[in-house]
Amino acid sequence: MLDKERSPRTNIIILTVIVCIALVLSIFSYQYSILNSNKIVDIASQEVRSNTKIEVHDISLILANKLQTVSALLQTLAESPALHNNEYKRADIVINSRQHSSSDLTDFYMWLDKNGKINWISNINETTYQKYKGTDLSYRPYFTIPKDTHTAYYSSLIESNDKVPRLYISYPVINTTGTRTGTANGILTGVVVTSVRLQTLGNFLSNQLFPQFNSTIGLLDRNGIILYATNAQQYVGQYIFGDKFQSVLSTSLQPPESKNLLNNLIKSSLQGYTGSGDILINGKMNTIAYQPVLVSGKNFLTLYISAQHNLASDVTALIDQQRYFTILVVGIIGAVAIIISVLVFSWNKRLNTIVNTRTSELKKSNDSLAESNKQLALANEQLKVHDKMQQEFINIASHEMKTPTQAILGYSKLIQRHPERREEMLEAIARNANRLQRLTNDILDVTRIETQSLKLNIERVNLNELISDVIEDQINQIEKTNKDIKISHEPQDQTIEVEADKNRLAQVVSNLLSNAIKFTKKGTIRVTEEVKDGKALVSIKDTGQGIDTEIFPRLFLKFAAKSETGTGLGLFISKSIVEAHGGKIWAENNSSSDGKKGAVFTFSIPVSKGEHEQQQTKGRRQGEQ
Amino acid sequence: MSSNKPRGEGKVNNNNNSLHNKILLIDDEPDITTVFALGLEDHGFKVDVFNDPLQALSDFKKGSYDLVLIDYKMPNMNGFELHREIRKIDEKVKVCFITAFEVYYDELKKKFQNSLNASSRQQHRQEEDVKCFIQKPIDIDELIKRIKQELNS
């Protein structure tokens, strides 16, 4: 019982443990995978950041160098004697050579006179020269500021007369001859200017980008005017904090706080700082690094490089692989958990089945043991009953023997004192001696029956003759008792032959007939015999008192009935003899219509083979008819 | 069934003649009653004989007998049952059982109790006063001796 109750609970516990282990393993595996991929992302991002910083640093330096070179060229030009002496022819060559030296960046070199009018522009032909000669540019800051300050000037974005946006660097041409002390006291004779076309600058910068990085470049002048932006040239010339550009940022940057981050970063950069920052733009992280471009120690421009954290495709593949692996591991763990559960359950079930089978087998063997015990007890009981019956038999038999013995002893004593009754007493002695003799014979018969040593001398017996002989003997007995009894022999079938012990069979008929006589006072005793279903049936029907209902159930048992002259063993012996012949004996009380009582004793005995076959043939013929 | 045969007054020994000399004898065997009755009468007892216990009971009257001699095994009514019925009528009459059974007193008593089927204590006590059990076969002279002993006790 306990096992049955325990097993589902154990199963649930086992299942829970397995599920928990699977869950924990899955969580660990997933966490590990996430951690790993995050690390990979971090490393990759770090890489992007440092690369961006390196790039902005490198490019700003390259640009600064380049501009420094241009500035130096311009300075040497300003100090050229040809310009000081207004030697136009020679100045041509000098100016053109400068342009030639820095043509990858500069658009042109220009020489203005002291009134701000064009003296010469590099690499122009006579016609163009004639067109521009004397053009007044004295309002331009690149003229006014060197003129006033006698120092170099680095312009902000300027849209030139030809509508091309340019940056300008200008130097004053100062004649120091005649003055001994510094240039500040010299006389301005003109200004040399060089221009950098924004497009050229942009192309130059783009060429400097590391091709393996997916980065973009931006350039602001020191006032925050957009000079260059990769793939966004339409915004060139706009003020970065102007309403127009800010509104563009508002619409194009998600989430909104990214705009503020960007603005803060730009403000910081315009103050001349170097740095970088991560800004989420439209769902993707970008690192923006910035560095000012210094020319002659002056903050001229600010360079920005932005790189998206787009992981390299193999890194993405690696992370994907990791994720697939994790999913696979989790799946495998789940599958293993399920398989183990199924195994545990089926194992449990099989164990249960085995236990149940064993239990039922045990129970069966116990039952059979109990059954055999019961049978033993029954056999023991039967033995006891048998013992008791044996004792009872001895008791009753001795009683039956002592009674005639007492009579014989008594009479033999009395016969001397009562000689007048000598005859009567002698007869009584003989009668009791006979009784003893009969009893002895009967007890012997019973003993033979009970020890199964009753031997039959089987021979072919004519049943009709046998019955007739017995009846004749009994009639003689009746005559002695003076009873008014007649015996009618009414055989239904002639010459019935049976295989039997003649004497024993006669004993049975005699016993039944003498019983009938004994219990009948007056009337006719009918004896009939017939063949029925291959058996001879013999009936003895009297008109006596009938069988006592009290005795009826024990009728064929030892000492069941008792009479003055009987031993109480006759019917028991008769029954045993009939059964030894393979027959049956039974009794019934006569319930005839004439109201007369009486008993009917019938016994059956198999007819001999020939007789049987004859009967069968007869029956068959009747059947055919 | 009953045979009442008082006889041989003249042959009675007078020294045994007393007030207690009337005996009732009940046994289903006629040979036994004949032999016992003759023997008792030879010694001066007056004997009434019955072969049917029911008949004996129906004829029984209080104070008629000094001693009742009852066979144990009889048809219709056994000796103990008869004794009980007689006791109901006569408390004082002495009783001897006579039996051919190979049993001792205790066993007989047990047998008797069983046959009573839940006897009351009073009935039990009544049985306990019976101490006279005579075994068949018995010599007639021995029988007379036992009966005299019982009558004088």
Side-chain angles (χ1 to χ4, degrees):
Chain A
M1 288 295 269
L2 195 74
D3 280 351
K4 277 177 187 171
E5 280 169 12
R6 210 181 56 190
S7 101
R9 223 173 62 192
T10 318
N11 286 351
I12 287 164
I13 289 167
I14 289 169
L15 193 67
T16 313
V17 166
I18 289 169
V19 165
C20 284
I21 289 170
L23 218 66
V24 167
L25 281 176
S26 304
I27 289 166
F28 271 139
S29 177
Y30 188 73
Q31 286 296 328
Y32 176 72
S33 142
I34 293 292
L35 201 74
N36 252 6
S37 53
N38 282 349
K39 259 186 192 165
I40 292 166
V41 168
D42 272 358
I43 290 164
S45 295
Q46 207 56 50
E47 179 101 352
V48 170
R49 270 183 215 111
S50 61
N51 279 335
T52 312
K53 282 179 190 170
I54 290 164
E55 203 172 26
V56 81
H57 178 76
D58 286 359
I59 293 173
S60 70
L61 278 183
I62 289 166
L63 185 59
N65 278 340
K66 204 76 198 172
L67 289 172
Q68 192 67 53
T69 305
V70 170
S71 180
L73 283 173
L74 199 62
Q75 196 178 352
T76 56
L77 186 63
E79 289 165 2
S80 163
L83 269 67
H84 285 277
N85 301 327
N86 285 327
E87 296 173 22
Y88 293 103
K89 279 280 179 197
R90 217 155 53 99
D92 270 5
I93 298 159
V94 174
I95 292 168
N96 284 347
S97 73
R98 295 294 185 278
Q99 171 59 24
H100 186 72
S101 303
S102 63
S103 62
D104 56 341
L105 194 64
T106 55
D107 207 10
F108 57 85
Y109 283 75
M110 186 166 67
W111 176 25
L112 303 178
D113 65 13
K114 61 181 179 189
N115 298 314
K117 290 181 176 152
I118 294 171
N119 268 342
W120 184 250
I121 300 171
S122 62
N123 295 338
I124 51 169
N125 54 29
E126 197 62 28
T127 323
T128 318
Y129 173 70
Q130 288 307 320
K131 185 184 168 191
Y132 287 111
K133 189 181 180 290
T135 304
D136 187 4
L137 295 171
S138 59
Y139 59 94
R140 295 285 192 185
Y142 54 74
F143 174 75
T144 56
I145 288 167
K147 178 191 164 209
D148 295 342
T149 62
H150 288 204
T151 56
Y153 166 72
Y154 300 88
S155 80
S156 184
L157 184 70
I158 290 169
E159 218 166 71
S160 307
N161 290 354
D162 56 3
K163 306 281 182 195
V164 176
R166 291 187 178 90
L167 285 173
Y168 292 89
I169 303 170
S170 59
Y171 259 84
V173 181
I174 293 164
N175 194 349
T176 53
T177 46
T179 59
R180 284 173 188 167
T181 54
T183 51
N185 300 319
I187 300 153
L188 183 98
T189 61
V191 170
V192 282
V193 181
T194 182
S195 84
V196 177
R197 202 194 276 230
L198 277 185
Q199 193 59 48
T200 315
L201 185 66
N203 290 342
F204 171 81
L205 288 175
S206 296
N207 288 337
Q208 302 306 316
L209 281 174
F210 302 165
Q212 66 267 39
F213 289 128
N214 180 22
S215 50
T216 55
I217 202 158
L219 191 66
L220 296 184
D221 72 6
R222 60 177 178 273
N223 298 323
I225 305 294
I226 297 168
L227 299 180
Y228 180 79
T230 313
N231 304 328
Q233 285 303 98
Q234 67 267 32
Y235 302 120
V236 167
Q238 286 186 12
Y239 179 44
I240 193 112
F241 298 120
D243 293 338
K244 205 174 164 190
F245 189 71
Q246 285 294 313
S247 72
V248 168
L249 285 182
S250 298
T251 52
S252 64
L253 283 191
Q254 290 296 331
E257 51 266 26
S258 295
K259 191 182 104 178
N260 297 332
L261 283 170
L262 183 64
N263 284 341
N264 290 340
L265 185 135
I266 289 166
K267 274 175 196 161
S268 162
S269 70
L270 289 180
Q271 285 166 11
Y273 296 114
T274 300
S276 70
D278 286 354
I279 295 173
L280 195 66
I281 298 169
N282 300 337
K284 285 190 172 172
M285 191 55 78
N286 288 262
T287 290
I288 298 174
Y290 54 88
Q291 186 156 338
V293 180
L294 299 175
V295 182
S296 303
K298 286 186 176 175
N299 187 0
F300 183 25
L301 307 164
T302 309
L303 184 72
Y304 303 85
I305 289 190
S306 164
Q308 216 174 51
H309 291 201
N310 278 337
L311 300 179
S313 60
D314 52 342
V315 172
T316 318
L318 214 67
I319 289 170
D320 281 350
Q321 216 173 37
Q322 171 96 22
R323 195 162 294 140
Y324 292 142
F325 179 72
T326 306
I327 289 165
L328 192 72
V329 165
V330 169
I332 287 168
I333 290 168
V336 166
I338 287 164
I339 288 165
I340 288 171
S341 310
V342 167
L343 282 178
V344 165
F345 278 127
S346 67
W347 189 51
N348 250 346
K349 207 174 167 186
R350 239 182 60 202
L351 271 182
N352 263 345
T353 318
I354 288 166
V355 167
N356 285 344
T357 315
R358 293 276 158 83
T359 308
S360 68
E361 275 170 8
L362 261 175
K363 207 180 162 201
K364 218 182 268 174
S365 70
N366 271 349
D367 284 353
S368 71
L369 210 68
E371 184 59 34
S372 63
N373 272 346
K374 213 187 262 177
Q375 282 176 352
L376 268 177
L378 198 74
N380 195 28
E381 202 59 39
Q382 280 172 347
L383 265 176
K384 274 184 187 168
V385 167
H386 188 256
D387 270 4
K388 206 176 166 189
M389 277 169 70
Q390 200 71 19
Q391 218 171 5
E392 190 78 359
F393 174 70
I394 291 163
N395 205 7
I396 294 171
S398 75
H399 178 272
E400 293 305 308
M401 283 171 125
K402 278 170 186 174
T403 302
T405 308
Q406 176 71 74
I408 290 166
L409 276 174
Y411 281 125
S412 19
K413 193 127 201 174
L414 289 168
I415 202 163
Q416 297 159 6
R417 292 179 197 162
H418 302 274
E420 78 282 0
R421 294 176 71 176
R422 195 169 171 268
E423 289 297 314
E424 183 196 332
M425 287 184 183
L426 278 175
E427 202 182 300
I429 287 168
R431 189 172 62 240
N432 278 288
N434 278 333
R435 188 175 160 188
L436 268 179
Q437 166 72 10
R438 275 202 309 278
L439 187 66
T440 312
N441 286 339
D442 281 358
I443 286 172
L444 269 172
D445 280 350
V446 168
T447 311
R448 284 192 192 108
I449 289 159
E450 293 198 328
T451 57
Q452 275 148 9
S453 56
L454 181 73
K455 280 176 185 164
L456 301 175
N457 294 318
I458 300 291
E459 56 185 320
R460 185 165 282 226
V461 178
N462 185 320
L463 192 61
N464 312 84
E465 277 178 21
L466 184 138
I467 290 168
S468 295
D469 290 349
V470 174
I471 288 171
E472 207 167 308
D473 285 348
Q474 291 294 327
I475 286 171
N476 294 334
Q477 295 294 318
I478 293 165
E479 279 167 2
K480 287 180 187 171
T481 60
N482 298 322
K483 275 186 180 177
D484 184 15
I485 294 172
K486 281 173 183 160
I487 298 176
S488 158
H489 185 201
E490 299 162 0
Q492 304 294 303
D493 287 297
Q494 297 298 328
T495 38
I496 301 170
E497 286 196 326
V498 292
E499 302 284 335
D501 184 316
K502 198 174 179 178
N503 291 333
R504 289 295 181 189
L505 202 56
Q507 192 184 344
V508 173
V509 177
S510 177
N511 174 244
L512 295 179
L513 204 51
S514 67
N515 279 346
I517 293 161
K518 203 185 291 171
F519 293 102
T520 306
K521 283 170 185 165
K522 191 182 168 186
T524 305
I525 294 164
R526 295 177 190 281
V527 182
T528 62
E529 68 264 27
E530 62 179 317
V531 175
K532 208 175 186 180
D533 299 329
K535 282 170 187 168
L537 289 180
V538 180
S539 275
I540 291 139
K541 190 187 212 173
D542 64 47
T543 54
Q545 60 198 34
I547 303 154
D548 194 309
T549 48
E550 201 186 321
I551 287 170
F552 207 114
R554 304 179 284 124
L555 195 61
F556 291 99
L557 300 180
K558 282 174 284 183
F559 302 112
K562 192 183 166 290
S563 72
E564 300 159 32
T565 52
T567 60
L569 293 170
L571 283 177
F572 173 76
I573 293 164
S574 292
K575 182 174 184 272
S576 302
I577 291 169
V578 168
E579 284 173 357
H581 281 87
K584 277 181 181 172
I585 189 165
W586 63 94
E588 53 208 318
N589 269 325
N590 191 11
S591 53
S592 62
S593 52
D594 56 7
K596 279 180 184 172
K597 285 191 98 180
V600 187
F601 280 82
T602 311
F603 71 88
S604 70
I605 190 164
V607 296
S608 50
K609 256 187 180 171
E611 185 78 13
H612 187 197
E613 279 163 11
Q614 209 178 316
Q615 286 298 119
Q616 273 190 332
T617 322
K618 204 171 140 191
R620 225 174 284 136
R621 277 193 202 123
Q622 280 168 351
E624 282 162 10
Q625 287 163 1
Chain B
M1 283 292 231
S2 67
S3 60
N4 201 340
K5 298 169 186 170
R7 60 172 76 217
E9 285 278 341
K11 288 172 188 173
V12 168
N13 278 335
N14 281 332
N15 62 333
N16 284 327
N17 196 6
S18 60
L19 284 173
H20 6 268
N21 65 349
K22 236 185 148 199
I23 290 173
L24 176 63
L25 171 62
I26 308 142
D27 195 315
D28 61 324
E29 294 280 349
D31 278 332
I32 300 294
T33 48
T34 305
V35 169
F36 283 180
L38 267 174
L40 285 166
E41 280 163 3
D42 285 350
H43 286 81
F45 292 101
K46 285 183 178 174
V47 184
D48 281 348
V49 168
F50 289 92
N51 291 119
D52 181 357
L54 292 175
Q55 189 68 45
L57 187 63
S58 67
D59 284 8
F60 187 81
K61 277 171 189 144
K62 189 177 177 180
S64 307
Y65 302 102
D66 297 305
L67 188 139
V68 185
L69 194 58
I70 309 171
D71 180 29
Y72 166 60
K73 190 174 176 286
M74 288 184 291
N76 301 330
M77 180 184 259
N78 74 36
F80 291 110
E81 286 167 333
L82 178 62
H83 163 257
R84 199 166 64 238
E85 295 305 316
I86 284 169
R87 268 277 176 269
K88 284 177 187 171
I89 299 163
D90 193 332
E91 293 167 6
K92 286 175 183 171
V93 67
K94 291 182 171 170
V95 173
C96 276
F97 287 114
I98 183 156
T99 179
F101 277 115
E102 286 280 353
V103 282
Y104 295 106
Y105 175 78
D106 284 346
E107 282 181 62
L108 205 63
K109 211 164 75 170
K110 222 183 279 173
K111 216 178 250 290
F112 161 67
Q113 280 170 2
N114 288 341
S115 77
L116 267 187
N117 276 341
S119 60
S120 75
R121 272 185 189 174
Q122 191 158 4
Q123 283 166 337
H124 194 193
R125 216 176 293 132
Q126 281 170 359
E127 290 312 323
E128 277 176 347
D129 64 356
V130 180
K131 287 178 187 99
C132 174
F133 287 91
I134 295 163
Q135 277 230 352
K136 283 192 270 188
I138 187 169
D139 185 74
I140 297 296
D141 294 338
E142 182 64 24
L143 177 73
I144 303 301
K145 202 172 141 191
R146 289 286 304 274
I147 285 179
K148 279 182 179 168
Q149 271 177 7
E150 190 62 26
L151 281 171
N152 292 324
S153 68

